[in-house]
Amino acid sequence: MDIKNLQRENIKTLRPYSTARDEYKGQASVFLDANENSYGSPLPENFNRYPDPLQLDLKDALSKIKGVPIENTFLGNGSDEAIDLLFRAFCNPGKDNVIILPPTYGMYEVSANINDVEIRKVNLLPNFQLDLEGIAEAIDANTKLIFICSPNNPTGNSIVRTDIETILANFNGLVVIDEAYINFAKQRTFIQELTEYPHLVVLQTFSKAWGLAGLRLGMAFASSIIIDILNKVKAPYNISQSTQDLALAALQNIGQVNDWIKTTVAEREHLAKLLLDLPLVQKVYPSDANFILVEVADANGTYDALVDRGIIVRNRAKVTLCEGCLRITVGTPAENEILISALKSLTN
Ligand SMILES: Cc1ncc(COP(=O)(O)O)c(C=O)c1O
């Protein structure tokens, strides 16, 4: 598969910005090459210097956890940056198209619209799995990307693995699997399959299980050809020094993160049972993520009544296939209790 040929015409020939740090990489004592403040920074750290454009120390630590080599790893300002870069690097505006599978994460569509790229929507089936025939029909010679979110937001389910493999075996554009919620799932990640599929991109994030949504750090894992293209198109210093330092420190706390994952999954199952017992709840969808999709008798009314009590959930009532549904993030036991008693009070 000729991945390089999938690039946008102008990206194929792009000469990327060459940073001062790209041009000199050795050990030196006097750096007068980047117009930094040579005197220091008001902060105690060495923030007067530009950060490593390729975040190699952080990627090295990450590769030990993920088992994915550095050359197959891209880091972005949230996985949202990787999503946007995939459009910018691979989709010719006004000519190419991408396939998204609603109901799903909203940024794929927003990024497509920002980049003036046609969206072809193939709704999930009523069981929230892939409509393989519909997808096959929607693909044409200008289809560059397919976004598969698994576990899917907002439905919470994982996509059947063999269905994803069918797409990987038959589609010649890039298959983007968004695994933002993979840590909460029973299904295995696809990052081990990268060597088999040069057109596979796996997105993960520090915003969910890692508890670092405020840091803005996302990961894309793919063949080195794809990673090199993303690095060519990204802003030179896209991950700040503070983000690199803090993420490196956070990686030392993997034990705590694993404990939170176990607690969240246990609490999710407990919350699902409690929700199911409420008369206003009509359906609780099984979840492989850190949230639960719940169908209620009156989604708008329930949403408003929760807001009145200071409890904010996500109203998905207007979303295709999620009519009448609220999406509820799994909270702490105390938060979940507050939610359940508020919902009980609405029932009475
Ligand atoms: C499926 C999915 N992908 C990506 C993201 C965004 O992640 P990040 O915070 O890394 O930009 C979200 C956030 O809600 C999400 O639900």
Side-chain angles (χ1 to χ4, degrees):
M1 189 175 299
D2 187 359
I3 301 290
K4 284 194 176 146
N5 207 34
L6 288 172
Q7 290 175 91
R8 259 172 78 170
E9 294 308 322
N10 60 316
I11 302 301
K12 279 182 196 164
T13 53
L14 176 76
R15 282 184 52 210
Y17 179 73
S18 175
T19 69
R21 295 293 169 268
D22 289 321
E23 287 174 19
Y24 180 79
K25 285 208 174 85
Q27 294 293 318
S29 53
V30 181
F31 281 100
L32 303 176
D33 57 347
N35 301 344
E36 297 152 335
N37 182 337
S38 302
Y39 297 89
S41 102
L43 300 172
E45 313 287 334
N46 203 16
F47 284 126
N48 57 324
R49 299 297 178 189
Y50 280 104
D52 175 2
L54 291 175
Q55 313 96 23
L56 295 178
D57 289 345
L58 178 52
K59 283 180 185 166
D60 184 49
L62 200 55
S63 77
K64 297 196 170 83
I65 292 174
K66 299 283 177 185
V68 178
I70 289 177
E71 62 267 26
N72 299 112
T73 306
F74 168 85
L75 294 177
N77 183 6
S79 34
D80 286 344
E81 183 186 3
I83 293 168
D84 180 63
L85 281 176
L86 287 166
F87 282 98
R88 291 207 276 145
F90 291 98
C91 300
N92 291 290
K95 178 177 170 220
D96 291 331
N97 67 75
V98 302
I99 293 182
I100 66 167
L101 313 168
T104 194
Y105 180 51
M107 274 310 284
Y108 315 137
E109 181 165 1
V110 173
S111 270
N113 288 335
I114 290 169
N115 288 287
D116 191 20
V117 172
E118 183 198 340
I119 302 158
R120 300 193 173 178
K121 294 183 181 177
V122 182
N123 286 352
L124 295 175
L125 298 170
N127 64 358
F128 299 146
Q129 292 299 329
L130 303 187
D131 173 2
L132 289 175
E133 274 177 32
I135 293 170
E137 277 166 28
I139 292 171
D140 69 14
N142 292 323
T143 307
K144 290 292 185 67
L145 312 171
I146 296 185
F147 285 94
I148 302 172
C149 189
S150 182
N152 188 39
N153 176 9
T155 57
N157 61 295
S158 290
I159 302 298
V160 169
R161 199 175 182 87
T162 48
D163 284 357
I164 299 179
E165 286 165 353
T166 300
I167 306 256
L168 280 165
N170 291 292
F171 177 55
N172 291 324
L174 301 190
V175 178
V176 185
I177 307 179
D178 188 340
E179 294 188 339
Y181 300 98
I182 193 69
N183 303 89
F184 308 104
K186 286 184 279 298
Q187 175 144 250
R188 307 196 305 287
T189 166
F190 267 86
I191 56 176
Q192 268 92 44
E193 324 303 326
L194 289 171
T195 43
E196 199 169 331
Y197 302 109
H199 61 321
L200 168 63
V201 181
V202 178
L203 302 178
Q204 294 187 0
T205 179
F206 281 86
S207 299
K208 309 297 173 184
W210 280 92
L212 293 169
L215 205 58
R216 307 310 298 133
L217 189 62
M219 300 159 262
F221 302 103
S223 59
S224 59
I225 298 177
I226 297 175
I227 298 300
D228 289 349
I229 295 169
L230 296 179
N231 282 332
K232 191 168 77 165
V233 178
K234 77 178 181 72
Y237 303 108
N238 63 326
I239 307 295
S240 75
Q241 186 65 55
S242 55
T243 298
Q244 295 189 39
D245 291 349
L246 290 169
L248 209 46
L251 290 181
Q252 308 305 312
N253 283 331
I254 192 162
Q256 166 74 81
V257 173
N258 285 332
D259 286 349
W260 277 329
I261 293 168
K262 279 194 205 108
T263 309
T264 304
V265 168
E267 199 57 31
R268 176 185 77 202
E269 299 311 310
H270 180 59
L271 179 62
K273 277 204 194 86
L274 295 177
L275 286 164
L276 205 52
D277 283 343
L278 300 173
L280 62 73
V281 169
Q282 296 184 332
K283 184 158 186 176
V284 177
Y285 287 94
S287 172
D288 247 359
N290 66 342
F291 57 83
I292 306 178
L293 188 72
V294 186
E295 188 182 334
V296 293
D298 169 16
N300 293 330
T302 308
Y303 175 82
D304 290 342
L306 287 175
V307 170
D308 286 345
R309 288 163 176 75
I311 302 166
I312 315 300
V313 298
R314 201 83 196 263
N315 186 355
R316 301 284 81 184
K318 286 204 196 83
V319 173
T320 321
L321 294 177
C322 298
E323 291 82 6
C325 288
L326 302 176
R327 192 196 70 191
I328 301 173
T329 304
V330 176
T332 62
E335 289 169 333
N336 297 333
E337 210 170 288
I338 292 169
L339 170 80
I340 291 292
S341 53
L343 289 170
K344 274 188 184 151
S345 76
L346 301 182
T347 314
N348 297 328

